[in-house]
Amino acid sequence: MIMTNAFDVRIVHLEPLRVAYALGFGQEPEGLAWAKILTWAEHKGWLNNLKAHRFLGFNNPNPAPGSPNYGYEQWMTVGPEDGSEGEVKVKDFAGGLYAVARCQGPQNIPQAWKDLLVWCDNSQYRMAEHQCLEECLSTELLNFGVMPWEKVLFDLYLPIAE
């Protein structure tokens, strides 16, 4: 584990994942994408065992200059037997090498991303081409419907290469 700027950065190899995903678009698309994936998970009966799944997401598309709108793609890991249903699609993700930093609350995500990029610039690694990801670690909060977002823990995954 490598320390920098008052937060820990760890290097991990994220294994391949099979994920169900939903898209949201607008001024706050994260909530839209989360609602779709959680409604789908509830239909499957999975809200009682959310710890059996991982939840990752990222901007898709990124914010454009001059527009308040952008997209967000929310993932939930699933098994090989699961397939696409309605607005929730399923795909395979190849994984890769990542620098990972933890932060609490979505209000701290932009600064944590900046700190992680500075860390990368000063490390032996360079930024790679595979997908940046934000993993929600506070799955116990998802059961309440209205998440206390300021308490949610996230791991930010910056794709790296040596």
Side-chain angles (χ1 to χ4, degrees):
M1 189 165 302
I2 301 166
M3 289 281 298
T4 183
N5 295 338
F7 72 94
D8 293 334
V9 175
R10 64 190 191 282
I11 307 303
V12 301
H13 183 269
L14 186 60
E15 296 297 325
L17 301 170
R18 183 164 176 83
V19 298
Y21 69 96
L23 300 171
F25 188 81
Q27 292 184 18
E28 295 181 359
E30 296 88 349
L32 299 171
W34 269 105
K36 289 177 185 178
I37 207 78
L38 289 177
T39 298
W40 179 80
E42 181 178 37
H43 171 72
K44 296 280 212 178
W46 291 344
L47 291 187
N48 293 330
N49 188 18
L50 290 175
K51 292 222 181 266
H53 304 273
R54 295 176 75 176
F55 293 86
L56 303 105
F58 56 93
N59 290 349
N60 181 17
N62 282 317
S67 174
N69 297 319
Y70 63 99
Y72 199 79
E73 184 171 318
Q74 183 60 53
W75 292 359
M76 177 180 179
T77 57
V78 296
E81 69 284 355
D82 294 302
S84 299
E85 294 178 24
E87 288 189 272
V88 176
K89 308 298 182 202
V90 173
K91 65 181 174 182
D92 293 308
F93 174 67
L97 188 64
Y98 285 90
V100 181
R102 185 160 294 168
C103 73
Q104 183 172 0
Q107 69 279 8
N108 295 315
I109 288 176
Q111 185 60 51
W113 275 120
K114 289 176 188 173
D115 291 345
L116 199 48
L117 288 169
V118 168
W119 174 89
C120 188
D121 287 344
N122 295 308
S123 76
Q124 68 191 40
Y125 301 95
R126 62 179 169 75
M127 194 164 164
E129 299 283 326
H130 46 288
Q131 183 63 56
C132 291
L133 296 166
E134 300 166 348
E135 181 171 14
C136 176
L137 302 174
S138 303
T139 55
E140 71 280 1
L141 300 175
L142 296 176
N143 288 322
F144 299 120
V146 178
M147 294 176 66
W149 284 107
E150 68 281 354
K151 295 181 180 182
V152 174
L153 290 178
F154 294 92
D155 271 351
L156 306 183
Y157 284 76
L158 180 72
I160 58 173
E162 294 189 60

